[in-house]
Amino acid sequence: DAGVIQSPRHEVTEMGQEVTLRCKPISGHNSLFWYRQTMMRGLELLIYFNNNVPIDDSGMPEDRFSAKMPNASFSTLKIQPSEPRDSAVYFCASSPNYGYTFGSGTRLTVV
Amino acid sequence: SQELEQSPQSLIVQEGKNLTINCTSSKTLYGLYWYKQKYGEGLIFLMMLQKGGEEKSHEKITAKLDEKKQQSSLHITASQPSHAGIYLCGADPTYSGGGADGLTFGKGTHLIIQP
């Protein structure tokens, strides 16, 4: 099992650009979570899906953020337009309804 | 909403010494998860506790959930350089305890092991 796979590992972009983060969950896991980690706020839940359906997106900070899960093996988190305060490490995690497995994260820097 | 406070925020311990990290919740803990994060990497699952008074061990790491289910402690015996990293506690805010609705995390404890 390859675990939860996130890409890219690092992303540096200019303010105003669109950023897309990708996640491939573990096969058979029916829940997928997007988290953001910063020094100030720690690890925050942004949105989660159950069986590809978004269940709770109350953690998404602004309308600039959107997430999709078109199928059970792929999810994206998009920021458009990006701002410097979006700089953080973004984690994807998947779960078979009990316990989590996290990906290695995408470190996003917006300059 | 549930809040988790971890203490200490950072800890420097000499190799071979014991240490304890605490996680206190503002509400009852139905499922308490401990994770370890190496700098620049993802979170690695350590243990999950559900029952009041429950204690679990993995190698030299022991975690406990108090009887009232509002505090958990993580104890490392005879610390080694491999124990260095960030330790995070996460709580399931729902009765299920399984984390299916997302976990709330503490801000983490940074552990440094001095040789």
Side-chain angles (χ1 to χ4, degrees):
Chain A
D1 191 340
V4 176
I5 300 173
Q6 290 188 246
S7 64
R9 285 299 308 274
H10 302 274
E11 176 80 38
V12 180
T13 190
E14 290 186 345
M15 182 174 64
Q17 296 297 307
E18 177 180 296
V19 175
T20 300
L21 311 181
R22 296 173 177 78
C23 175
K24 176 178 168 54
I26 292 175
S27 177
H29 284 195
N30 58 355
S31 296
L32 182 140
F33 305 82
W34 281 101
Y35 282 87
R36 177 172 69 174
Q37 187 178 39
T38 61
M39 289 291 290
M40 290 295 294
R41 301 173 69 89
L43 205 58
E44 302 172 281
L45 177 64
L46 300 177
I47 184 172
Y48 74 95
F49 297 82
N50 193 24
N51 293 321
N52 312 338
V53 176
I55 303 299
D56 185 353
D57 65 354
S58 60
M60 297 284 260
E62 298 172 34
D63 290 344
R64 299 183 294 107
F65 286 69
S66 62
K68 293 182 180 179
M69 192 166 185
N71 56 62
S73 59
F74 185 65
S75 177
T76 60
L77 178 67
K78 186 178 292 186
I79 307 173
Q80 165 64 18
S82 57
E83 296 183 4
R85 60 194 168 119
D86 301 331
S87 297
V89 181
Y90 291 80
F91 287 102
C92 174
S94 69
S95 170
N97 276 336
Y98 200 93
Y100 284 51
T101 302
F102 280 81
S104 298
T106 294
R107 182 174 295 277
L108 173 65
T109 303
V110 183
V111 297
Chain B
S1 62
Q2 186 167 32
E3 293 185 0
L4 296 177
E5 185 172 334
Q6 288 188 237
S7 63
Q9 289 184 337
S10 62
L11 190 57
I12 302 174
V13 174
Q14 194 171 17
E15 183 177 351
K17 297 294 186 183
N18 303 335
L19 64 104
T20 299
I21 297 169
N22 293 304
C23 175
T24 302
S25 172
S26 59
K27 297 183 179 181
T28 299
L29 293 163
Y30 294 110
L32 189 284
Y33 296 72
W34 282 102
Y35 284 87
K36 178 186 174 185
Q37 183 180 24
K38 294 228 170 193
Y39 296 101
E41 298 182 13
L43 280 69
I44 299 169
F45 173 75
L46 295 176
M47 278 169 276
M48 186 260 189
L49 304 165
Q50 277 191 300
K51 300 176 183 176
E54 186 175 12
E55 180 176 319
K56 287 186 178 178
S57 294
H58 175 68
E59 298 179 344
K60 293 186 177 180
I61 302 176
T62 301
K64 298 179 184 180
L65 182 61
D66 76 351
E67 291 287 345
K68 294 184 179 179
K69 296 177 67 176
Q70 284 202 258
Q71 186 173 46
S72 178
S73 60
L74 185 85
H75 185 77
I76 298 177
T77 304
S79 58
Q80 300 171 352
S82 61
H83 288 130
I86 304 170
Y87 289 81
L88 296 114
C89 61
D92 183 346
T94 66
Y95 184 70
S96 68
D101 297 319
L103 298 181
T104 299
F105 284 90
K107 290 191 176 180
T109 294
H110 294 244
L111 174 62
I112 297 171
I113 307 295
Q114 281 187 333

